[in-house]
Amino acid sequence: MNALEVEFGYFSKDVALELEITTSTLRRWSIALEKSGYIFERNEKDQRVYYQRDYKALKELKLLLSKAMPFDNAIKVVAAMDFESENSKYYNQRKVF
């Protein structure tokens, strides 16, 4: 991202709505990802702020779970993925929410 690009963050309600999951499910997934080393940014009130890379990670988690991958395995796979690198297959996907 260059100096002129600004990435806006989203709160859990917006992300949950876009992913078609409850905010409770989003919170559970986020906690599990954090326990596996995934880092979400937080605001001054210690609330998670979700960015495009986080949306992509959560969308991938939902996909893996829909394919009957066990939750713990899906969390580990997603936590290990690179959603920011230009070489990542997830980098150029765009989803406005």
Side-chain angles (χ1 to χ4, degrees):
M1 186 180 306
N2 67 39
L4 298 177
E5 293 177 356
V6 176
E7 184 179 16
F8 293 98
Y10 298 89
F11 291 106
S12 59
K13 180 181 176 185
D14 303 312
V15 176
L17 184 64
E18 183 65 27
L19 289 170
E20 298 177 342
I21 61 175
T22 66
T23 54
S24 297
T25 297
L26 178 61
R27 186 178 316 107
R28 185 171 55 90
W29 290 2
S30 299
I31 290 168
L33 283 167
E34 286 174 331
K35 286 181 181 178
S36 288
Y38 190 95
I39 298 171
F40 292 98
E41 289 191 35
R42 292 180 178 262
N43 66 12
E44 63 281 348
K45 296 179 182 177
D46 204 34
Q47 298 166 312
R48 287 180 197 89
V49 179
Y50 296 90
Y51 292 95
Q52 187 68 26
R53 72 178 278 276
D54 305 318
Y55 174 79
K56 292 173 190 175
L58 292 160
K59 187 174 176 182
E60 182 68 16
L61 178 59
K62 183 177 178 181
L63 177 67
L64 293 173
L65 294 172
S66 74
K67 293 181 178 183
M69 181 178 279
F71 182 75
D72 291 340
N73 293 357
I75 290 292
K76 289 175 187 172
V77 168
V78 171
M81 288 181 163
D82 178 7
F83 292 94
E84 289 184 306
S85 168
E86 290 185 34
N87 294 326
S88 168
K89 71 177 186 175
Y90 304 98
Y91 181 77
N92 290 317
Q93 294 177 359
R94 297 287 183 231
K95 180 73 174 176
V96 176
F97 55 102

